[in-house]
Amino acid sequence: MKNERQLKILELVAEKEIHTQEELSAELKLAGFSATQATISRDIKELHLQKVAGKSGGTHYAVSPNRPQGEKETCDKYRSVLHQVLTSAVPAGNIGVVKTLSGTANAAAAALEAIRIENIIGTLAGDDTLLVLFANEQLAREFCRDLNVLYIKD
């Protein structure tokens, strides 16, 4: 249940500007997850979420781009997300087209960015498809090959 809740948290902060723990709790409840304030606080810490400036001038939660290096446990959590949601990866020119379970492409994008996979220029996520941009076709092919070997079950 913890992994599923944390996956949902990653999805929510990727999709919406969540300003407070109370808002996050309400969104989780709407998604069918019940969690105490203390649990949500621990999840925020474990996922290395931080407050960033929003479009409206306030702050909201986001995956920290400056999370400390060498934190194997945190990387393992993001890798677990990838194992759970990725279904396929194919190159299309300099783009990796990654398919996910329905509703999880944003979480997959956040996980890829959080574990800092090399050479990714940027990501664009929809509902169940994630586009990962690279400088050239070879990098996209290598990325898709690695995803298929490391994360996607046959």
Side-chain angles (χ1 to χ4, degrees):
M1 188 63 138
K2 178 179 178 178
N3 283 340
E4 291 85 5
R5 183 183 64 251
Q6 288 186 345
L7 174 60
K8 190 60 173 175
I9 290 171
L10 288 173
E11 285 177 37
L12 289 168
V13 300
E15 293 171 356
K16 302 177 178 189
E17 288 192 0
I18 306 286
H19 301 91
T20 65
Q21 289 184 11
E22 292 78 19
E23 284 181 41
L24 183 55
S25 177
E27 291 290 338
L28 284 170
K29 191 169 190 172
L30 286 173
F33 294 91
S34 178
T36 65
Q37 186 277 329
T39 297
I40 290 171
S41 182
R42 275 191 302 276
D43 286 342
I44 289 169
K45 184 175 181 179
E46 287 177 15
L47 294 171
H48 290 277
L49 300 182
Q50 68 177 25
K51 291 279 193 125
V52 298
K55 296 173 189 169
S56 61
T59 60
H60 62 89
Y61 287 106
V63 175
S64 172
N66 301 317
R67 74 173 169 76
Q69 293 293 316
E71 294 194 14
K72 182 182 181 320
E73 181 179 308
T74 299
C75 282
D76 287 346
K77 287 184 183 300
Y78 290 119
R79 287 185 178 104
S80 175
V81 167
L82 296 174
H83 278 291
Q84 292 175 40
V85 304
L86 299 184
T87 61
S88 70
V90 295
N94 68 322
I95 299 170
V97 180
V98 181
K99 298 296 279 182
T100 69
L101 298 175
S102 181
T104 63
N106 279 311
L112 288 172
E113 291 172 6
I115 61 176
R116 297 183 181 176
I117 292 181
E118 288 186 33
N119 301 313
I120 292 177
I121 293 173
T123 60
L124 178 65
D127 180 60
D128 65 354
T129 304
L130 168 62
L131 303 179
V132 185
L133 307 174
F134 294 91
N136 60 54
E137 292 180 22
Q138 180 181 349
L139 292 172
R141 281 193 307 272
E142 291 171 359
F143 168 78
C144 290
R145 181 200 63 220
D146 291 347
L147 278 189
N148 282 303
V149 169
L150 296 172
Y151 300 110
I152 299 171
K153 299 173 184 162
D154 294 326

